Amino acid sequence: MSAATTRSRTPDRLCAEAVDLARTAAEEAAAPGVVGEHVSAIAEGDRVVTHLFECKDPGYRGWRWAVTVTRASRAKLVTLDETVLLPGDDALLAPEWVPWSERLRPGDMGPGDLLPTDAEDLRLEAGWSGEDVPPPNSVFSTEMAELVEAEDADVTDRTVVPVRGSITAVAEELGMRRARVLSRYGLHSAADRWDESFGAKTPMAQAAPASCVSCGFLVAIGGSLGQAFGVCANEFSPADGRLVSLSYGCGGHSEAAVMPTPPRPAPPVLDSMASDEFPLRPAPAGDTGSVPVSASDLPAADLGHS
């Protein structure tokens, strides 16, 4: 260890004794009654010492008033260098500042809010520029046109690119004629996010009788994501109007259970609209019936009481 390093770690005696000078400077920078007891003196270099004082401000608990003093070489007069308020080991500090674009979470945006998209956003990539520039080996390219013109001047009209079937028309049909489109990273990021909410690993899908790929309420979507996702159109499903994985499912599956038609009773069949008489006792004697009536069958006479 060099002699200069040893001297720098040892506080200068005159600077270390200038506690009153450091306190006066701290009290001038702070409000009255805020500067507390002297904590320590730290050597910052040759003839440079920083005095630390407690801060009694309730809003800066654990902070220290740091007053740095120094003196010139071979001089006995100590002068003031700077006065600052620094956090201590147990100081209450504000959290690290995070840009607004990084603090934003899904669902934070409201009506009228604007979220500028970073030019280097990994979720996006450049779309179709709109220029119909055919590839070099195409029959519509400039190179091929010059070659055809040199061989046969009657076929120079082949250099005209038709509107129908042009690169721009195809890009328009595929939905690619935009300044930027989803990149491969953006597609995978969206697919992972949707699969986490309405995918095969959710409790609803685990208890479902079948998956959405066979459900009649599934609305297919286009593009590459249509191979794994669709839109639920069942108003009783928890995923109604949401993008769901084809492996997702719920109890509202269209083929989960077909309710049987309740049986209906047969309509009554009536062969007559009149009623028939059924006597409880045989007809009395003298009746025109074909069966004679015996005396035992007649009702007993009411003899009264003796």
Side-chain angles (χ1 to χ4, degrees), residues 17-110:
E17 293 176 354
V19 178
D20 295 338
L21 174 63
R23 178 181 294 276
T24 303
E27 291 177 349
E28 290 179 357
V34 172
V35 181
E37 298 295 330
H38 184 264
V39 177
S40 62
I42 303 174
E44 303 288 353
D46 291 341
R47 298 177 303 278
V48 180
V49 176
T50 298
H51 295 273
L52 299 179
F53 299 90
E54 292 183 355
C55 180
K56 295 184 177 181
D57 192 336
Y60 290 89
R61 185 183 60 188
W63 289 63
R64 301 288 186 266
W65 284 104
V67 181
T68 303
V69 296
T70 184
R71 69 181 180 89
S73 177
R74 299 180 181 178
K76 296 184 179 181
L77 179 63
V78 178
T79 59
L80 179 66
D81 191 355
E82 64 176 355
T83 303
V84 294
L85 184 62
L86 299 177
D89 296 336
D90 57 344
L92 182 62
L93 301 177
E96 184 179 356
W97 182 81
V98 180
W100 174 79
S101 58
E102 298 180 11
R103 286 186 279 118
L104 191 66
R105 292 293 179 266
D108 289 349
M109 292 188 62

Side-chain angles (χ1 to χ4, degrees), residues 79 124 126 145 186 229 283:
T79 59
L124 300 172
F229 296 92

Side-chain angles (χ1 to χ4, degrees), residues 9-283:
R9 292 188 177 182
T10 303
D12 181 76
R13 183 180 60 83
L14 295 179
C15 292
E17 293 176 354
V19 178
D20 295 338
L21 174 63
R23 178 181 294 276
T24 303
E27 291 177 349
E28 290 179 357
V34 172
V35 181
E37 298 295 330
H38 184 264
V39 177
S40 62
I42 303 174
E44 303 288 353
D46 291 341
R47 298 177 303 278
V48 180
V49 176
T50 298
H51 295 273
L52 299 179
F53 299 90
E54 292 183 355
C55 180
K56 295 184 177 181
D57 192 336
Y60 290 89
R61 185 183 60 188
W63 289 63
R64 301 288 186 266
W65 284 104
V67 181
T68 303
V69 296
T70 184
R71 69 181 180 89
S73 177
R74 299 180 181 178
K76 296 184 179 181
L77 179 63
V78 178
T79 59
L80 179 66
D81 191 355
E82 64 176 355
T83 303
V84 294
L85 184 62
L86 299 177
D89 296 336
D90 57 344
L92 182 62
L93 301 177
E96 184 179 356
W97 182 81
V98 180
W100 174 79
S101 58
E102 298 180 11
R103 286 186 279 118
L104 191 66
R105 292 293 179 266
D108 289 349
M109 292 188 62
D113 293 340
L114 296 178
L115 178 59
T117 305
D118 189 3
E120 303 298 332
D121 196 325
L122 297 178
R123 300 171 300 172
L124 300 172
E125 62 184 8
W128 173 244
S129 62
E131 298 178 359
D132 280 327
V133 181
N137 58 345
S138 173
V139 295
F140 302 110
S141 65
T142 305
E143 293 82 356
M144 290 298 294
E146 294 176 353
L147 181 61
V148 171
E149 185 178 1
E151 297 179 354
D152 189 359
D154 296 334
V155 294
T156 54
D157 293 339
R158 295 177 63 184
T159 58
V160 180
V161 181
V163 176
R164 186 183 181 91
S166 62
I167 299 178
T168 302
V170 174
E172 183 78 23
E173 183 178 354
L174 296 177
M176 301 292 292
R177 197 180 179 187
R178 288 166 285 172
R180 287 190 291 178
V181 295
L182 275 176
S183 63
R184 187 174 183 86
Y185 172 79
L187 290 172
H188 281 283
S189 177
D192 293 341
R193 189 170 60 253
W194 296 341
D195 189 74
E196 184 178 356
S197 301
F198 298 98
K201 296 182 180 180
T202 58
M204 181 67 72
Q206 294 290 334
S211 59
C212 294
V213 69
S214 59
C215 182
F217 294 106
L218 182 73
V219 179
I221 62 174
S224 58
L225 289 175
Q227 302 176 10
F229 296 92
V231 180
C232 178
N234 188 352
E235 60 178 327
F236 300 107
S237 172
D240 180 36
R242 305 290 188 89
L243 277 169
V244 296
S245 172
L246 298 183
S247 57
Y248 179 74
C250 68
H253 194 281
S254 61
E255 311 304 324
V258 179
M259 297 181 62
T261 304
R264 294 179 176 272
V269 179
L270 301 177
D271 59 355
S272 174
M273 298 302 294
S275 59
D276 298 332
E277 258 185 65
F278 294 96
L280 299 178
R281 295 175 180 177

